[in-house]
Amino acid sequence: MSYTDDFLRTVLKRTKTVAVVGVSLNPVRPSFYVARYLSLKGFTVIPVNPGHAGQRLFGAEVKASLSDIDAKVDMVDIFRRSEAVPPIVDEALEAFPDLQTVWMQIGVEHAEAAAKAEARGVDVVMNRCPKIEYQRLFGELRMGGFNTGIISSKL
């Protein structure tokens, strides 16, 4: 899976609302700080986790499933194991007719689910992190991969 910088930049620039599937309320978990980062960068983040449904995170109510979201969603960011991806993609395609992107986090890949989304005209990114790509593409990271000299989950 090779993605051009232009492709990733386009995906991130056009995205306004992100549903983060598998988000954790634990601030040391990657799903928490990626969702927090995206919200601080101006994205509307809709957290999705059935175990935390009804709670609030970054000013938004945590939804139990994608089907519970009544807003337009541009991108679904998946923080789940690869084998859990197909039903998430199916639900996303059903719930969001204008969905633009399915993004699978680092370590998450599912070729068949990706092909299904792409056949519906949805762009797919696998095994990447939107936080890392945003920082890299929009000048927040130097060549070494960080800008502060300290690697932390805190923003």
Side-chain angles (χ1 to χ4, degrees):
M1 293 153 296
S2 179
Y3 307 101
T4 67
D5 286 353
D6 285 341
F7 171 75
L8 294 172
R9 194 177 288 110
T10 297
V11 166
L12 292 168
K13 279 184 173 181
R14 74 179 182 210
T15 299
K16 305 295 181 233
T17 303
V18 182
V20 181
V21 178
V23 72
S24 174
L25 273 62
N26 182 341
V28 300
R29 301 285 300 177
S31 62
F32 178 94
Y33 61 81
V34 168
R36 180 170 183 254
Y37 176 85
L38 293 174
S39 71
L40 291 172
K41 287 297 169 186
F43 295 89
T44 299
V45 173
I46 303 172
V48 180
N49 186 322
H52 302 298
Q55 297 183 54
R56 299 202 64 83
L57 189 62
F58 318 125
E61 180 183 346
V62 179
K63 302 296 185 179
S65 70
L66 293 171
S67 301
D68 293 334
I69 299 171
D70 57 5
K72 179 182 183 292
V73 171
D74 301 310
M75 181 168 80
V76 173
D77 184 14
I78 303 174
F79 274 96
R80 297 287 313 276
R81 291 187 312 253
S82 296
E83 58 269 16
V85 167
I88 295 168
V89 169
D90 288 344
E91 184 179 18
L93 294 173
E94 178 70 27
F96 312 119
D98 297 325
L99 184 67
Q100 296 174 333
T101 309
V102 170
W103 193 299
M104 299 178 215
Q105 280 293 331
I106 294 172
V108 182
E109 301 174 20
H110 200 285
E112 293 84 8
K116 186 173 192 175
E118 289 169 339
R120 294 271 300 270
V122 176
D123 288 328
V124 176
V125 178
M126 296 189 283
N127 197 27
R128 298 282 184 108
C129 175
K131 175 185 181 290
I132 292 170
E133 297 303 329
Y134 188 95
Q135 290 175 314
R136 184 178 69 80
L137 294 167
F138 297 102
E140 293 183 16
L141 293 179
R142 292 185 298 203
M143 292 302 288
F146 54 90
N147 65 355
T148 63
I150 299 171
I151 298 174
S152 170
S153 63
K154 296 179 183 176
L155 294 176

